[in-house]
Amino acid sequence: MNHLEQSISGFLGLFFPELCVTCGKRLISQERYVCFECWHDLPVTNFHLEPENKVAQLFWGRTTVLNATAFFSYKKGSKYQQLIHFVKYKGLKELGYEAGKKFAYQLIDSPAFATIDMLMPVPLHQRKEKQRGYNQSDWIARGMAEVLQKPVDTKNLYRKEYTATQTRRNRYERWQNVESVFGLREPERVNEKHVLLIDDVVTTGSTLEACAVHLLKQPGTKVSIATLAFADI
């Protein structure tokens, strides 16, 4: 941003101040979307340091996930749920990108995630992505990939069917809702690869499990999971 753009932005900010999406305070210079204080107080999980963490436990007895983690946790109604809400529904895909970068800086020195070959965001159905204008998980993955220096594959894994929202479903209903909706366009491309599945939030793990099941059908494929948030319900 040049000096003129900064001046205009500052002038407009007097009348249309940008607010932190989590606490609502006015953002100051160099802050974008989330204030420094809220980033500092983010309830990070450090699950990447705990092999038997709460996210990993979701998949026990269900499918073979090598590693599983989430950047931060939130409870329903907390201010950090707002962060996810803005990334997912309010068009702040760039916030997803920035949060993905911060997440990746945690993982970059983790031995558990050192053998990743590619990042693969959980896909939206074309109809839903067209309605929303973007896939938030793509943007989170792109931010992570910039730091981890690994490729992102957004084309191979896809949704075959449009499914209803998962919000009010229990664990079994969520699994029924996604059990057969995913597929791989070029399955052989994940052979012998360690794939890091990326999503915005994990609650019951049903969607991620369904994705992992398809990937693990391929010879030599390993799957790890990383989500921006863990809904600690």
Side-chain angles (χ1 to χ4, degrees):
M1 182 181 290
N2 61 37
H3 181 70
L4 177 61
E5 289 172 328
Q6 287 178 327
S7 299
I8 293 171
S9 177
F11 177 76
L12 291 174
L14 294 173
F15 301 97
F16 305 102
E18 295 181 357
L19 306 178
C20 174
V21 301
T22 59
C23 71
K25 292 180 182 178
R26 179 173 175 168
L27 298 175
I28 61 173
S29 178
Q30 306 304 315
E31 293 180 338
R32 196 177 182 203
Y33 305 126
V34 178
C35 69
F36 293 143
E37 184 177 351
C38 283
W39 278 128
H40 180 267
D41 293 338
L42 189 75
V44 295
T45 68
N46 287 315
F47 283 166
H48 62 290
L49 303 176
E50 306 172 37
E52 298 185 354
N53 63 68
K54 290 182 179 180
V55 177
Q57 290 174 25
L58 292 174
F59 303 97
W60 287 359
R62 296 166 63 181
T63 192
T64 305
V65 171
L66 205 59
N67 309 288
T69 188
F71 185 27
F72 65 92
S73 63
Y74 70 83
K75 293 190 180 293
K76 187 175 181 180
S78 78
K79 67 179 184 177
Y80 289 105
Q81 186 178 16
Q82 281 291 100
L83 191 157
I84 291 294
H85 186 78
F86 273 84
V87 170
K88 193 167 185 173
Y89 301 115
K90 298 296 185 180
L92 293 190
K93 52 186 182 290
E94 295 87 356
L95 174 56
Y97 185 88
E98 290 302 315
K101 287 172 62 177
K102 291 179 182 292
F103 186 14
Y105 280 120
Q106 275 203 333
L107 302 182
I108 195 167
D109 293 323
S110 170
F113 294 87
T115 62
I116 295 297
D117 294 302
M118 67 177 72
L119 286 76
M120 191 172 283
V122 171
L124 293 177
H125 188 270
Q126 287 182 339
R127 177 176 151 195
K128 185 173 285 188
E129 187 166 348
K130 186 174 182 180
Q131 289 172 345
R132 191 170 294 171
Y134 62 97
N135 178 357
Q136 69 279 0
S137 297
D138 283 2
W139 283 79
I140 295 165
R142 290 181 199 178
M144 295 180 70
E146 180 178 322
V147 174
L148 298 176
Q149 294 294 292
K150 300 292 182 181
V152 180
D153 185 340
T154 62
K155 303 296 183 184
N156 200 349
L157 184 65
Y158 72 102
R159 283 185 185 254
K160 297 183 285 186
E161 301 175 19
Y162 183 86
T163 53
T165 180
Q166 299 274 66
T167 306
R168 293 180 176 86
R169 296 173 183 268
N170 63 34
R171 177 168 167 171
Y172 179 66
E173 289 171 335
R174 286 174 185 240
W175 168 249
Q176 286 184 312
N177 198 40
V178 297
E179 182 180 10
S180 60
V181 301
F182 294 101
L184 289 166
R185 291 189 174 93
E186 299 180 82
E188 68 283 353
R189 293 192 62 176
V190 299
N191 290 0
E192 305 296 332
K193 302 294 185 184
H194 185 180
V195 178
L196 182 61
L197 273 174
I198 307 296
D199 208 358
D200 53 354
V201 180
V202 59
T203 304
T204 66
S206 296
T207 299
L208 287 157
E209 178 186 358
C211 292
V213 164
H214 283 285
L215 291 167
L216 291 169
K217 289 177 182 177
Q218 298 310 118
T221 303
K222 301 181 183 69
V223 173
S224 289
I225 285 169
T227 68
L228 195 59
F230 168 61
D232 194 2
I233 56 176

mmCIF file of all heavy atoms in Angstrom, residues 96-128:
data_model
loop_
_atom_site.group_PDB
_atom_site.id
_atom_site.type_symbol
_atom_site.label_atom_id
_atom_site.label_comp_id
_atom_site.label_asym_id
_atom_site.label_seq_id
_atom_site.Cartn_x
_atom_site.Cartn_y
_atom_site.Cartn_z
ATOM 1 N N GLY A 96 -9.024 -16.436 6.696
ATOM 2 C CA GLY A 96 -8.704 -17.863 6.698
ATOM 3 C C GLY A 96 -7.272 -18.102 6.271
ATOM 4 O O GLY A 96 -6.570 -18.939 6.842
ATOM 5 N N TYR A 97 -6.835 -17.358 5.256
ATOM 6 C CA TYR A 97 -5.460 -17.473 4.755
ATOM 7 C C TYR A 97 -4.463 -17.075 5.846
ATOM 8 O O TYR A 97 -3.480 -17.794 6.091
ATOM 9 C CB TYR A 97 -5.306 -16.569 3.535
ATOM 10 C CG TYR A 97 -3.975 -16.660 2.831
ATOM 11 C CD1 TYR A 97 -3.758 -17.589 1.823
ATOM 12 C CD2 TYR A 97 -2.927 -15.810 3.176
ATOM 13 C CE1 TYR A 97 -2.544 -17.668 1.170
ATOM 14 C CE2 TYR A 97 -1.707 -15.878 2.531
ATOM 15 C CZ TYR A 97 -1.522 -16.800 1.531
ATOM 16 O OH TYR A 97 -0.300 -16.885 0.885
ATOM 17 N N GLU A 98 -4.704 -15.940 6.498
ATOM 18 C CA GLU A 98 -3.790 -15.472 7.542
ATOM 19 C C GLU A 98 -3.778 -16.415 8.736
ATOM 20 O O GLU A 98 -2.716 -16.693 9.312
ATOM 21 C CB GLU A 98 -4.188 -14.056 7.986
ATOM 22 C CG GLU A 98 -3.927 -12.989 6.945
ATOM 23 C CD GLU A 98 -2.465 -12.932 6.517
ATOM 24 O OE1 GLU A 98 -1.581 -12.983 7.395
ATOM 25 O OE2 GLU A 98 -2.209 -12.868 5.301
ATOM 26 N N ALA A 99 -4.950 -16.914 9.118
ATOM 27 C CA ALA A 99 -5.017 -17.866 10.232
ATOM 28 C C ALA A 99 -4.296 -19.159 9.872
ATOM 29 O O ALA A 99 -3.629 -19.767 10.715
ATOM 30 C CB ALA A 99 -6.471 -18.148 10.597
ATOM 31 N N GLY A 100 -4.418 -19.582 8.597
ATOM 32 C CA GLY A 100 -3.702 -20.770 8.136
ATOM 33 C C GLY A 100 -2.200 -20.615 8.256
ATOM 34 O O GLY A 100 -1.491 -21.558 8.655
ATOM 35 N N LYS A 101 -1.693 -19.438 7.942
ATOM 36 C CA LYS A 101 -0.252 -19.181 8.076
ATOM 37 C C LYS A 101 0.177 -19.289 9.536
ATOM 38 O O LYS A 101 1.198 -19.918 9.851
ATOM 39 C CB LYS A 101 0.086 -17.801 7.519
ATOM 40 C CG LYS A 101 0.047 -17.712 6.005
ATOM 41 C CD LYS A 101 0.190 -16.285 5.502
ATOM 42 C CE LYS A 101 1.513 -15.657 5.886
ATOM 43 N NZ LYS A 101 1.642 -14.296 5.315
ATOM 44 N N LYS A 102 -0.583 -18.674 10.428
ATOM 45 C CA LYS A 102 -0.236 -18.729 11.853
ATOM 46 C C LYS A 102 -0.259 -20.173 12.358
ATOM 47 O O LYS A 102 0.605 -20.582 13.149
ATOM 48 C CB LYS A 102 -1.201 -17.863 12.657
ATOM 49 C CG LYS A 102 -1.057 -16.364 12.415
ATOM 50 C CD LYS A 102 -2.064 -15.582 13.237
ATOM 51 C CE LYS A 102 -1.957 -14.091 12.951
ATOM 52 N NZ LYS A 102 -0.685 -13.524 13.441
ATOM 53 N N PHE A 103 -1.236 -20.936 11.898
ATOM 54 C CA PHE A 103 -1.340 -22.352 12.274
ATOM 55 C C PHE A 103 -0.105 -23.121 11.797
ATOM 56 O O PHE A 103 0.495 -23.903 12.544
ATOM 57 C CB PHE A 103 -2.612 -22.910 11.646
ATOM 58 C CG PHE A 103 -2.974 -24.315 12.042
ATOM 59 C CD1 PHE A 103 -2.388 -24.964 13.119
ATOM 60 C CD2 PHE A 103 -3.955 -25.001 11.324
ATOM 61 C CE1 PHE A 103 -2.755 -26.253 13.473
ATOM 62 C CE2 PHE A 103 -4.322 -26.285 11.659
ATOM 63 C CZ PHE A 103 -3.724 -26.919 12.729
ATOM 64 N N ALA A 104 0.285 -22.880 10.561
ATOM 65 C CA ALA A 104 1.412 -23.618 9.979
ATOM 66 C C ALA A 104 2.717 -23.328 10.687
ATOM 67 O O ALA A 104 3.584 -24.210 10.791
ATOM 68 C CB ALA A 104 1.532 -23.290 8.500
ATOM 69 N N TYR A 105 2.885 -22.123 11.202
ATOM 70 C CA TYR A 105 4.109 -21.805 11.947
ATOM 71 C C TYR A 105 4.226 -22.670 13.197
ATOM 72 O O TYR A 105 5.328 -22.945 13.668
ATOM 73 C CB TYR A 105 4.150 -20.323 12.322
ATOM 74 C CG TYR A 105 4.608 -19.432 11.187
ATOM 75 C CD1 TYR A 105 3.789 -18.427 10.688
ATOM 76 C CD2 TYR A 105 5.871 -19.604 10.605
ATOM 77 C CE1 TYR A 105 4.197 -17.615 9.641
ATOM 78 C CE2 TYR A 105 6.298 -18.796 9.557
ATOM 79 C CZ TYR A 105 5.455 -17.805 9.079
ATOM 80 O OH TYR A 105 5.876 -17.003 8.035
ATOM 81 N N GLN A 106 3.084 -23.107 13.742
ATOM 82 C CA GLN A 106 3.114 -24.048 14.868
ATOM 83 C C GLN A 106 3.578 -25.430 14.429
ATOM 84 O O GLN A 106 4.267 -26.129 15.176
ATOM 85 C CB GLN A 106 1.724 -24.171 15.487
ATOM 86 C CG GLN A 106 1.364 -23.136 16.509
ATOM 87 C CD GLN A 106 0.263 -23.642 17.421
ATOM 88 O OE1 GLN A 106 -0.546 -24.489 17.045
ATOM 89 N NE2 GLN A 106 0.224 -23.138 18.646
ATOM 90 N N LEU A 107 3.177 -25.827 13.226
ATOM 91 C CA LEU A 107 3.417 -27.197 12.771
ATOM 92 C C LEU A 107 4.753 -27.388 12.070
ATOM 93 O O LEU A 107 5.202 -28.522 11.902
ATOM 94 C CB LEU A 107 2.303 -27.630 11.802
ATOM 95 C CG LEU A 107 0.869 -27.578 12.312
ATOM 96 C CD1 LEU A 107 -0.090 -28.088 11.239
ATOM 97 C CD2 LEU A 107 0.705 -28.383 13.595
ATOM 98 N N ILE A 108 5.393 -26.292 11.648
ATOM 99 C CA ILE A 108 6.536 -26.399 10.748
ATOM 100 C C ILE A 108 7.695 -27.189 11.349
ATOM 101 O O ILE A 108 8.449 -27.856 10.623
ATOM 102 C CB ILE A 108 6.994 -24.992 10.291
ATOM 103 C CG1 ILE A 108 7.924 -25.110 9.079
ATOM 104 C CG2 ILE A 108 7.621 -24.206 11.431
ATOM 105 C CD1 ILE A 108 8.174 -23.796 8.379
ATOM 106 N N ASP A 109 7.834 -27.138 12.668
ATOM 107 C CA ASP A 109 8.933 -27.872 13.308
ATOM 108 C C ASP A 109 8.465 -29.155 14.000
ATOM 109 O O ASP A 109 9.219 -29.766 14.755
ATOM 110 C CB ASP A 109 9.641 -26.973 14.332
ATOM 111 C CG ASP A 109 10.369 -25.821 13.663
ATOM 112 O OD1 ASP A 109 10.937 -26.019 12.577
ATOM 113 O OD2 ASP A 109 10.353 -24.710 14.232
ATOM 114 N N SER A 110 7.225 -29.549 13.749
ATOM 115 C CA SER A 110 6.680 -30.748 14.394
ATOM 116 C C SER A 110 7.091 -32.002 13.624
ATOM 117 O O SER A 110 6.764 -32.143 12.440
ATOM 118 C CB SER A 110 5.155 -30.660 14.453
ATOM 119 O OG SER A 110 4.610 -31.895 14.852
ATOM 120 N N PRO A 111 7.788 -32.931 14.262
ATOM 121 C CA PRO A 111 8.173 -34.179 13.587
ATOM 122 C C PRO A 111 6.964 -34.951 13.063
ATOM 123 O O PRO A 111 7.046 -35.628 12.036
ATOM 124 C CB PRO A 111 8.895 -34.972 14.677
ATOM 125 C CG PRO A 111 9.354 -33.946 15.663
ATOM 126 C CD PRO A 111 8.310 -32.880 15.644
ATOM 127 N N ALA A 112 5.818 -34.829 13.737
ATOM 128 C CA ALA A 112 4.620 -35.571 13.337
ATOM 129 C C ALA A 112 4.124 -35.149 11.965
ATOM 130 O O ALA A 112 3.491 -35.936 11.257
ATOM 131 C CB ALA A 112 3.516 -35.385 14.375
ATOM 132 N N PHE A 113 4.399 -33.901 11.584
ATOM 133 C CA PHE A 113 3.907 -33.390 10.302
ATOM 134 C C PHE A 113 5.036 -33.137 9.305
ATOM 135 O O PHE A 113 4.817 -32.527 8.268
ATOM 136 C CB PHE A 113 3.102 -32.109 10.533
ATOM 137 C CG PHE A 113 1.824 -32.343 11.299
ATOM 138 C CD1 PHE A 113 1.821 -32.333 12.688
ATOM 139 C CD2 PHE A 113 0.637 -32.610 10.644
ATOM 140 C CE1 PHE A 113 0.657 -32.568 13.411
ATOM 141 C CE2 PHE A 113 -0.535 -32.851 11.345
ATOM 142 C CZ PHE A 113 -0.520 -32.833 12.733
ATOM 143 N N ALA A 114 6.211 -33.638 9.603
ATOM 144 C CA ALA A 114 7.382 -33.370 8.755
ATOM 145 C C ALA A 114 7.348 -34.137 7.440
ATOM 146 O O ALA A 114 8.009 -33.737 6.477
ATOM 147 C CB ALA A 114 8.660 -33.700 9.523
ATOM 148 N N THR A 115 6.597 -35.233 7.371
ATOM 149 C CA THR A 115 6.615 -36.069 6.161
ATOM 150 C C THR A 115 5.434 -35.799 5.223
ATOM 151 O O THR A 115 5.185 -36.575 4.306
ATOM 152 C CB THR A 115 6.615 -37.564 6.553
ATOM 153 O OG1 THR A 115 5.417 -37.861 7.282
ATOM 154 C CG2 THR A 115 7.833 -37.897 7.404
ATOM 155 N N ILE A 116 4.718 -34.722 5.438
ATOM 156 C CA ILE A 116 3.577 -34.373 4.587
ATOM 157 C C ILE A 116 4.048 -34.170 3.148
ATOM 158 O O ILE A 116 5.045 -33.492 2.888
ATOM 159 C CB ILE A 116 2.906 -33.084 5.103
ATOM 160 C CG1 ILE A 116 2.302 -33.292 6.491
ATOM 161 C CG2 ILE A 116 1.836 -32.590 4.129
ATOM 162 C CD1 ILE A 116 1.213 -34.310 6.547
ATOM 163 N N ASP A 117 3.331 -34.751 2.207
ATOM 164 C CA ASP A 117 3.626 -34.556 0.780
ATOM 165 C C ASP A 117 2.742 -33.498 0.145
ATOM 166 O O ASP A 117 3.169 -32.802 -0.787
ATOM 167 C CB ASP A 117 3.439 -35.874 0.012
ATOM 168 C CG ASP A 117 4.451 -36.928 0.412
ATOM 169 O OD1 ASP A 117 5.656 -36.650 0.272
ATOM 170 O OD2 ASP A 117 4.047 -38.007 0.873
ATOM 171 N N MET A 118 1.505 -33.382 0.609
ATOM 172 C CA MET A 118 0.578 -32.418 0.017
ATOM 173 C C MET A 118 -0.523 -32.073 0.997
ATOM 174 O O MET A 118 -0.801 -32.836 1.932
ATOM 175 C CB MET A 118 -0.050 -32.984 -1.261
ATOM 176 C CG MET A 118 -0.967 -34.162 -1.025
ATOM 177 S SD MET A 118 -1.782 -34.775 -2.523
ATOM 178 C CE MET A 118 -0.383 -35.556 -3.337
ATOM 179 N N LEU A 119 -1.129 -30.925 0.799
ATOM 180 C CA LEU A 119 -2.282 -30.505 1.571
ATOM 181 C C LEU A 119 -3.524 -30.645 0.693
ATOM 182 O O LEU A 119 -3.486 -30.327 -0.492
ATOM 183 C CB LEU A 119 -2.151 -29.054 2.036
ATOM 184 C CG LEU A 119 -1.173 -28.770 3.174
ATOM 185 C CD1 LEU A 119 0.266 -28.808 2.672
ATOM 186 C CD2 LEU A 119 -1.451 -27.413 3.803
ATOM 187 N N MET A 120 -4.610 -31.127 1.292
ATOM 188 C CA MET A 120 -5.839 -31.349 0.524
ATOM 189 C C MET A 120 -7.024 -30.823 1.335
ATOM 190 O O MET A 120 -7.420 -31.427 2.331
ATOM 191 C CB MET A 120 -5.999 -32.839 0.231
ATOM 192 C CG MET A 120 -7.084 -33.166 -0.770
ATOM 193 S SD MET A 120 -7.062 -34.928 -1.238
ATOM 194 C CE MET A 120 -5.661 -34.976 -2.364
ATOM 195 N N PRO A 121 -7.580 -29.682 0.950
ATOM 196 C CA PRO A 121 -8.739 -29.155 1.684
ATOM 197 C C PRO A 121 -9.989 -29.972 1.434
ATOM 198 O O PRO A 121 -10.186 -30.520 0.343
ATOM 199 C CB PRO A 121 -8.895 -27.737 1.117
ATOM 200 C CG PRO A 121 -8.239 -27.764 -0.211
ATOM 201 C CD PRO A 121 -7.146 -28.789 -0.123
ATOM 202 N N VAL A 122 -10.831 -30.059 2.455
ATOM 203 C CA VAL A 122 -12.121 -30.727 2.295
ATOM 204 C C VAL A 122 -12.948 -29.917 1.296
ATOM 205 O O VAL A 122 -13.127 -28.707 1.460
ATOM 206 C CB VAL A 122 -12.853 -30.827 3.647
ATOM 207 C CG1 VAL A 122 -14.287 -31.306 3.457
ATOM 208 C CG2 VAL A 122 -12.101 -31.761 4.582
ATOM 209 N N PRO A 123 -13.449 -30.556 0.241
ATOM 210 C CA PRO A 123 -14.147 -29.808 -0.809
ATOM 211 C C PRO A 123 -15.593 -29.482 -0.452
ATOM 212 O O PRO A 123 -16.238 -30.194 0.316
ATOM 213 C CB PRO A 123 -14.096 -30.757 -2.004
ATOM 214 C CG PRO A 123 -14.080 -32.119 -1.388
ATOM 215 C CD PRO A 123 -13.311 -31.989 -0.094
ATOM 216 N N LEU A 124 -16.068 -28.390 -1.021
ATOM 217 C CA LEU A 124 -17.493 -28.085 -1.015
ATOM 218 C C LEU A 124 -18.095 -28.602 -2.315
ATOM 219 O O LEU A 124 -17.397 -28.734 -3.319
ATOM 220 C CB LEU A 124 -17.733 -26.573 -0.932
ATOM 221 C CG LEU A 124 -17.344 -25.841 0.356
ATOM 222 C CD1 LEU A 124 -17.607 -24.350 0.196
ATOM 223 C CD2 LEU A 124 -18.102 -26.385 1.550
ATOM 224 N N HIS A 125 -19.382 -28.875 -2.311
ATOM 225 C CA HIS A 125 -20.060 -29.177 -3.562
ATOM 226 C C HIS A 125 -20.043 -27.914 -4.431
ATOM 227 O O HIS A 125 -20.078 -26.784 -3.915
ATOM 228 C CB HIS A 125 -21.493 -29.622 -3.291
ATOM 229 C CG HIS A 125 -22.200 -30.142 -4.499
ATOM 230 N ND1 HIS A 125 -22.932 -29.320 -5.334
ATOM 231 C CD2 HIS A 125 -22.288 -31.391 -5.021
ATOM 232 C CE1 HIS A 125 -23.438 -30.038 -6.316
ATOM 233 N NE2 HIS A 125 -23.066 -31.304 -6.156
ATOM 234 N N GLN A 126 -19.971 -28.086 -5.745
ATOM 235 C CA GLN A 126 -19.913 -26.938 -6.659
ATOM 236 C C GLN A 126 -21.053 -25.961 -6.419
ATOM 237 O O GLN A 126 -20.859 -24.742 -6.479
ATOM 238 C CB GLN A 126 -19.951 -27.420 -8.112
ATOM 239 C CG GLN A 126 -18.663 -28.075 -8.573
ATOM 240 C CD GLN A 126 -18.722 -28.486 -10.033
ATOM 241 O OE1 GLN A 126 -19.800 -28.651 -10.603
ATOM 242 N NE2 GLN A 126 -17.570 -28.658 -10.640
ATOM 243 N N ARG A 127 -22.224 -26.499 -6.123
ATOM 244 C CA ARG A 127 -23.386 -25.637 -5.884
ATOM 245 C C ARG A 127 -23.191 -24.776 -4.652
ATOM 246 O O ARG A 127 -23.447 -23.562 -4.678
ATOM 247 C CB ARG A 127 -24.630 -26.521 -5.734
ATOM 248 C CG ARG A 127 -25.919 -25.774 -5.408
ATOM 249 C CD ARG A 127 -27.069 -26.783 -5.403
ATOM 250 N NE ARG A 127 -28.134 -26.388 -4.502
ATOM 251 C CZ ARG A 127 -29.095 -27.196 -4.090
ATOM 252 N NH1 ARG A 127 -29.094 -28.461 -4.484
ATOM 253 N NH2 ARG A 127 -30.046 -26.763 -3.289
ATOM 254 N N LYS A 128 -22.687 -25.381 -3.564
ATOM 255 C CA LYS A 128 -22.485 -24.623 -2.335
ATOM 256 C C LYS A 128 -21.336 -23.626 -2.492
ATOM 257 O O LYS A 128 -21.407 -22.489 -2.003
ATOM 258 C CB LYS A 128 -22.206 -25.562 -1.159
ATOM 259 C CG LYS A 128 -22.104 -24.839 0.183
ATOM 260 C CD LYS A 128 -21.996 -25.811 1.342
ATOM 261 C CE LYS A 128 -23.332 -26.468 1.635
ATOM 262 N NZ LYS A 128 -23.281 -27.285 2.885
#
